[in-house]
Amino acid sequence: MDLRELKFRGTQVAYYVVCQRKLWLFTKGISFEKESEYVQLGKLLDEISFSREKGEEFAYEPVSIDFFSTGEGLVVHEIKHSSALEQAHILQVKYYIYYLKTKGIKVSHGIIHYPKQKKLLKVEFDEKDEELINEVVRKMDEVVRKEIPPKVINKPYCKKCAYWEYCYG
Ligand code: SF4
């Protein structure tokens, strides 16, 4: 694929794993994130836990990385409220690494922080991940091109989703 076409934000990659309907709604500008108490709680936790490091926040449109440090290359850090959706978080960080690599930036690895659980997760990136992200981006494109949103998924975590009222109200 043409790497210049990369236009997704990291949260959209996570949404693709969690719920394709959520990805579709968010991409179409239908958003309730600001009203969601779960989202607000997560943001507050980020600010309290990482106020010093957050001074180095990295914004490289369309990705916005929580903060970074340097080692043998850039280390990408992502802060999450809960590890319940760990697979989505891992893919999000792999996407960041992939994205930065396409910009010629040397990236060492990623680290996901779960301050509430006092847990750190190291995210490596190899050639297979490059193929994986290529495939994910292609499928995300297919989802957002649909004329109507994918169906609701009836998962337990729907209750904590900002779209709960919209989907089931
Ligand atoms: S409430 Fe459930 S179905 Fe609706 S967007 Fe959220 S995760 Fe998807």
Side-chain angles (χ1 to χ4, degrees):
M1 91 175 287
D2 186 347
L3 297 175
R4 287 168 303 182
E5 286 176 12
L6 278 182
K7 58 186 182 298
F8 292 115
R9 292 168 58 181
T11 45
Q12 287 170 290
V13 176
Y15 288 172
Y16 167 76
V17 179
V18 173
C19 172
Q20 295 189 3
R21 177 179 173 86
K22 187 168 178 165
L23 167 65
W24 190 95
L25 292 169
F26 180 84
T27 306
K28 303 294 174 186
I30 302 165
S31 176
F32 303 98
E33 300 283 296
K34 286 198 179 103
E35 291 133 52
S36 165
E37 60 181 292
Y38 291 105
V39 173
Q40 301 223 358
L41 180 64
K43 286 198 171 137
L44 185 65
L45 193 68
D46 290 357
E47 281 162 24
I48 294 168
S49 310
F50 293 91
S51 52
R52 199 154 41 92
E53 290 89 341
K54 293 280 277 181
E56 299 179 61
E57 191 166 344
F58 185 97
Y60 200 142
E61 285 298 331
V63 304
S64 177
I65 293 166
D66 282 345
F67 70 95
F68 66 92
S69 58
T70 47
E72 289 191 8
L74 201 70
V75 181
V76 170
H77 296 262
E78 182 68 16
I79 308 160
K80 294 294 185 190
H81 172 52
S82 153
S83 61
L85 302 172
E86 198 174 279
Q87 288 312 310
H89 305 156
I90 291 171
L91 197 69
Q92 180 176 354
V93 169
K94 283 184 189 278
Y95 176 75
Y96 287 150
I97 296 172
Y98 177 94
Y99 186 87
L100 293 171
K101 278 172 166 260
T102 67
K103 300 293 174 192
I105 297 169
K106 189 178 173 202
V107 184
S108 167
H109 61 276
I111 297 177
I112 306 174
H113 300 254
Y114 296 106
K116 209 173 148 201
Q117 290 131 303
K118 298 190 178 6
K119 179 177 164 185
L120 291 181
L121 191 66
K122 186 175 183 184
V123 180
E124 305 276 10
F125 189 93
D126 60 25
E127 277 174 22
K128 278 193 180 157
D129 291 318
E130 214 161 298
E131 286 167 31
L132 171 72
I133 299 293
N134 259 316
E135 183 63 5
V136 164
V137 169
R138 193 184 61 71
K139 287 185 179 163
M140 286 172 73
D141 240 6
E142 278 176 22
V143 172
V144 300
R145 281 176 200 275
K146 287 182 196 289
E147 299 221 336
I148 55 169
K151 290 196 166 77
V152 296
I153 56 172
N154 282 310
K155 294 274 186 187
Y157 53 75
C158 283
K159 288 196 176 127
K160 292 188 176 180
C161 174
Y163 293 91
W164 165 255
E165 286 283 341
Y166 181 87
C167 291
Y168 300 96

